[in-house]
Amino acid sequence: MKYSEIMVRYGELSTKGKNRRDFIRQLGKNVRDILTEFEGIEVLAQRDRLHVILNGNDATPVMDAIGKVFGIETYSPVVRLSKDATLEDIQKTALEMINEQYEEGQTFKITTKRQNKDYPLNTYGVDNGVGGYVLDNIEGINVQMKQPDIDLRVDVRLTGIYLSSLTIQGALGLPVGTGGRGTMMLSGGIDSPVAAYMAMKRGVKVDMIHFFSPPYTSQQALAKAKDLTAKLTAFGGTIDFIEVPFTKIQEDIKEKVPEGYLMTIQRRMMLRIAAAITLDRHCNGVFTGESLGQVASQTIESMRVINEVTSLPVLRPLLSLDKTEIIKIARKIDTYDLSIMPFEDCCTIFTPPSPKTKPDLDKTIKFEKNIDVEGLMKMALENLKVTKIHVGDDYLNAQKDVFAELL
Ligand code: ATP
Ligand code: MG
């Protein structure tokens, strides 16, 4: 079936007035951003619906992309006929549409709405004309008014006659960008991409902060974090990725801090830097992928000691999820396979065999005096690198190509 557009119904639109306008404008912007790789597509974000005009593009990959965008309740592929299409035109298109979905024994109904009062047939005329034609041409199909298997809608509007029969569930949530801005501490692990997904689901635009420690961590580890970010752009568009050089900090901590406190102080340095970046970018909180009880740094006692370095909210969308629940989401959002690729993260190097699960705040502060907190932070913050990551970017494969050329 050659569809002409995808019609999108807005999600959770409880807000009115200006908020509603912002919601619609932001969703339009996100959808446009996500669909840039398709040539010639037009996105019209109107008051009641958003229309994605295909201009010759195949509907299937476009619908796959739309299905992931937050802020969409449902969507339908639509065939648009001209506003004075004849009953015969409508009948033929309707039959083709139903035939595409029809399985033996299914029922259908035709629901016509007419905004264009000048159209020569009323809703009854269209319903009957099309319904009768379908009955005559598909053997065994029956009409059912209540909960039919196929509900073919004919919308007779001033701009054209629109036919649709499929309604597909969208990703729900709020359009990314309508819920304020935050930063996300993104490692290469399983958890933080899932946490980012959940922050984005509630409309928060997240900037990724990634700490890396060359030469202890590889270029692939960095590329992997960028590719995880690329996966996450599917839900709301382009994302800023901020690399923080962390080698010197880790080396100093390793040299000057007792082993039991390495991890705690390392985490405090990370959070201090993340908080500084957050404020600098006018964001309002730091998201992490922590969940209670998973590892030593993720006890409530440990969180308190790490959290002490900032008054910004540190938001932990996965706090109460079990690992199996997190993995399930990671698979759903297609980050899992990337996350389990075995490149060393900066937190796994220099980790002592038994970090303190209940670090003492006074001792932490005392041991932290062994390092130059301000100087190290300044150096890291002066050497940030920001990359805009777009839908479809692929850093790991790009690297493979470079290596292949060298060989
Ligand atoms: P993840 O699966 O997200 O890596 P984890 O279970 O491995 O989490 P930790 O290694 O203790 O747990 O990390 C806890 C959180 O700290 C991560 O979810 C992430 O938010 C942040 N974090 C860890 N390493 C980094 C890093 N290299 N860059 C940025 N943030 C990090
Ligand atoms: Mg990790």
Side-chain angles (χ1 to χ4, degrees), residues 187-192 267 298 345 347-348:
S187 68
I190 296 169
D191 303 338
S192 40
R267 284 305 161 104
Q298 300 181 18
D345 184 64
C347 291
T348 45

Side-chain angles (χ1 to χ4, degrees), residues 25-249:
R25 190 182 319 121
Q26 186 69 55
L27 183 65
K29 194 166 165 250
N30 296 352
V31 171
R32 245 169 248 129
D33 184 347
I34 284 152
L35 297 179
T36 38
E37 59 179 315
F38 298 95
E39 221 166 290
I41 279 195
E42 276 171 274
V43 177
L44 308 173
Q46 293 168 350
R47 238 190 71 80
D48 51 344
R49 299 278 161 80
L50 182 142
H51 302 267
V52 178
I53 316 293
L54 292 167
N55 286 328
N57 281 279
D58 181 11
T60 312
V62 175
M63 287 201 287
D64 286 346
I66 289 176
K68 297 188 182 124
V69 182
F70 287 132
I72 293 175
E73 177 101 23
T74 58
Y75 56 96
S76 302
V78 173
V79 174
R80 177 182 173 274
L81 302 175
S82 83
K83 80 183 213 317
D84 10 75
T86 61
L87 178 63
E88 203 188 337
D89 296 333
I90 304 176
Q91 285 171 330
K92 285 199 174 127
T93 310
L95 181 65
E96 195 187 336
M97 233 174 195
I98 292 181
N99 261 328
E100 213 162 81
Q101 268 177 273
Y102 178 68
E103 286 168 29
E104 222 179 294
Q106 285 192 324
T107 58
F108 82 108
K109 82 169 177 187
I110 310 289
T111 312
T112 305
K113 276 200 242 161
R114 190 172 65 140
Q115 178 204 42
N116 178 9
K117 300 294 175 204
D118 293 334
Y119 192 72
L121 287 169
N122 61 14
T123 56
Y124 180 78
V126 178
D127 282 349
N128 266 353
V130 178
Y133 188 76
V134 171
L135 284 171
D136 287 346
N137 286 282
I138 302 181
E139 222 182 274
I141 198 165
N142 278 309
V143 176
Q144 183 169 306
M145 297 318 277
K146 270 193 187 156
Q147 297 185 322
D149 300 307
I150 301 169
D151 185 1
L152 190 131
R153 274 155 304 175
V154 183
D155 214 352
V156 182
R157 300 178 76 87
L158 292 165
T159 48
I161 298 177
Y162 299 84
L163 280 80
S164 64
S165 62
L166 273 176
T167 297
I168 306 161
Q169 169 82 61
L172 306 175
L174 299 165
V176 170
T178 59
R181 293 184 54 194
T183 54
M184 171 78 225
M185 292 176 63
L186 186 86
S187 68
I190 296 169
D191 303 338
S192 40
V194 173
Y197 164 83
M198 291 176 83
M200 291 163 79
K201 183 155 196 269
R202 299 313 299 163
V204 179
K205 179 168 173 54
V206 289
D207 297 346
M208 303 305 185
I209 300 177
H210 179 73
F211 295 86
F212 77 121
S213 300
Y216 307 104
T217 61
S218 63
Q219 282 304 307
Q220 281 114 306
L222 182 63
K224 170 184 167 183
K226 288 183 175 169
D227 282 352
L228 285 168
T229 305
K231 292 267 181 206
L232 292 161
T233 59
F235 309 105
T238 304
I239 298 175
D240 282 357
F241 182 92
I242 306 155
E243 296 166 37
V244 187
F246 205 54
T247 314
K248 172 79 173 119
I249 298 178

